[in-house]
């Protein structure tokens, strides 16, 4: 049984005060041996969130990270800075980074490698646009995004990593993939990894993201290859995030 994994991606939302309120709202959450819970606040608030969650075992993630170690990269932050601030890992290849900040598969793979080298957790996000889905290219697109890491770093690079399937058309739109649509892609992604290493493929957590909320999460978590959720908008509402974590527990 793979440990369920749930993360809240706060994106570019929140200020000290609203973060405090949200953290108080989820203060009943504690880490457990059975499920992993993470939050990914904006970088200026890492320390606030790390301190507030201290001793609770809930991990803090960055929403992206530089592939470079240090130097003249204005506006960026490194894996060393994550470690220094108590941040456990980072999302890489989120579709907003790919689309709005022109991150290519090669750059995303380099960020993944930088996290692995530092012993931090990469959360690799893959997903197709609506046009790609309608053109029947879903599996080709998500496989290409995954293979950019697998072919350059091997299946062992996925030890401890998480793969997130996030159809671009479902992110922030209120349109969730049906459990069956998501399951079909998750199973295909697992098969891509299995072609490299069947054991690692079986162990890899593949989580779904895209308009996940308390009301639709149970159907998704009922699927054999959906091991958790990467939650955007609903993670900003304490009751929603609590309910999604609760549903992950019930998956066990
Ligand atoms: P959403 O975002 O839950 O608001 O659709 C998910 C994500 O982008 O990770």
């Amino acid at each position: 049984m793979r440990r369920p994994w749930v993360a809240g991606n706060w994106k570019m939302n929140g200020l000290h005060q609203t973060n405090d309120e949200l953290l108080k709202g989820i203060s009943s959450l504690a880490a457990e041996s059975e499920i992993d819970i993470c939050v990914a606040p904006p970088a200026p608030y890492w320390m606030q969130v790390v301190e507030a969650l201290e001793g609770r075992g809930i991990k803090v993630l960055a929403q992206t990270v530089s592939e470079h170690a240090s130097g003249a990269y204005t506006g960026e932050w490194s894996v060393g800075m994550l470690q220094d601030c108590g941040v456990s890992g980072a999302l890489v290849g989120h579709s907003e980074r790919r689309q709005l900040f022109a991150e290519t598969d090669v750059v995303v793979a380099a960020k993944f490698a930088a996290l692995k080298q530092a012993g931090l957790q990469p959360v690799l996000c893959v997903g197709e646009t609506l046009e790609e889905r309608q053109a029947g290219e879903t599996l080709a697109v998500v496989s290409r995004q995954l293979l950019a890491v697998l072919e350059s770093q091997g299946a062992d690079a996925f030890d401890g990593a998480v793969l997130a399937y996030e159809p671009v058309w479902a992110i922030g739109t209120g349109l969730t993939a049906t459990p069956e649509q998501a399951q079909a892609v998750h199973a295909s992604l697992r098969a891509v990894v299995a072609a490299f290493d069947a054991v690692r493929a079986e162990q890899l957590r593949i989580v779904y993201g895209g308009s996940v909320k308390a009301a639709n999460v149970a159907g998704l978590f009922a699927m054999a290859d959906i091991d958790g959720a990467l939650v955007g908008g609903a993670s900003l509402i304490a009751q929603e995030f609590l309910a999604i974590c609760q549903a992950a527990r019930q998956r066990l």
Side-chain angles (χ1 to χ4, degrees):
M1 182 69 191
R2 296 177 287 268
R3 278 164 72 86
W5 185 97
V6 176
N9 173 12
W10 294 2
K11 309 196 180 186
M12 198 172 74
N13 294 292
L15 298 169
H16 272 112
Q17 195 200 323
T18 52
N19 295 342
D20 262 342
E21 287 161 14
L22 180 54
L23 289 162
K24 280 200 190 87
I26 60 170
S27 62
S28 59
L29 276 183
E32 306 173 15
S33 49
E34 295 104 27
I35 81 164
D36 288 341
I37 301 172
C38 312
V39 290
Y45 301 110
W46 290 341
M47 297 297 295
Q48 179 193 9
V49 178
V50 166
E51 281 164 20
L53 294 175
E54 204 178 332
R56 305 246 303 279
I58 298 171
K59 291 187 179 143
V60 178
L61 300 175
Q63 297 173 12
T64 181
V65 68
S66 174
E67 65 274 35
H68 304 290
S70 64
Y73 300 101
T74 301
E76 295 283 283
W77 49 82
S78 66
V79 292
M81 293 171 191
L82 267 57
Q83 287 172 311
D84 193 35
C85 293
V87 174
S88 311
L91 310 183
V92 295
H94 189 282
S95 64
E96 287 150 21
R97 302 294 313 175
R98 292 181 191 265
Q99 292 194 322
L100 305 174
F101 301 94
E103 288 186 5
T104 62
D105 288 341
V106 172
V107 167
V108 172
K111 290 171 188 273
F112 190 107
L115 286 160
K116 284 304 290 183
Q117 270 159 25
L120 297 175
Q121 181 178 48
V123 179
L124 174 66
C125 305
V126 300
E128 82 288 4
T129 63
L130 186 58
E131 297 68 46
E132 288 163 342
R133 173 162 282 265
Q134 285 168 344
E137 291 166 0
T138 298
L139 296 182
V141 170
V142 297
S143 302
R144 189 203 73 223
Q145 292 170 336
L146 171 57
L147 285 167
V149 175
L150 264 177
E151 281 173 348
S152 58
Q153 294 161 55
D156 354 345
F158 283 85
D159 282 350
V162 169
L163 179 60
Y165 169 53
E166 299 205 300
V168 179
W169 48 273
I171 293 179
T173 57
L175 286 175
T176 329
T178 64
E180 293 73 21
Q181 281 174 321
Q183 165 61 25
V185 177
H186 284 226
S188 301
L189 288 168
R190 202 178 297 288
V192 172
V193 180
F196 286 70
D197 185 327
V199 174
R200 287 205 166 84
E202 206 37 51
Q203 290 165 347
L204 177 64
R205 267 100 50 97
I206 307 181
V207 305
Y208 171 80
S211 297
V212 172
K213 45 186 193 272
N216 60 24
V217 77
L220 291 160
F221 285 174
M223 296 289 131
D225 287 290
I226 302 184
D227 304 314
L230 179 53
V231 188
S235 73
L236 299 171
I237 304 163
Q239 287 315 315
E240 283 281 318
F241 194 61
L242 288 174
I244 293 164
C245 292
Q246 185 56 32
R249 231 167 251 131
Q250 278 158 7
R251 192 182 186 286
L252 288 163

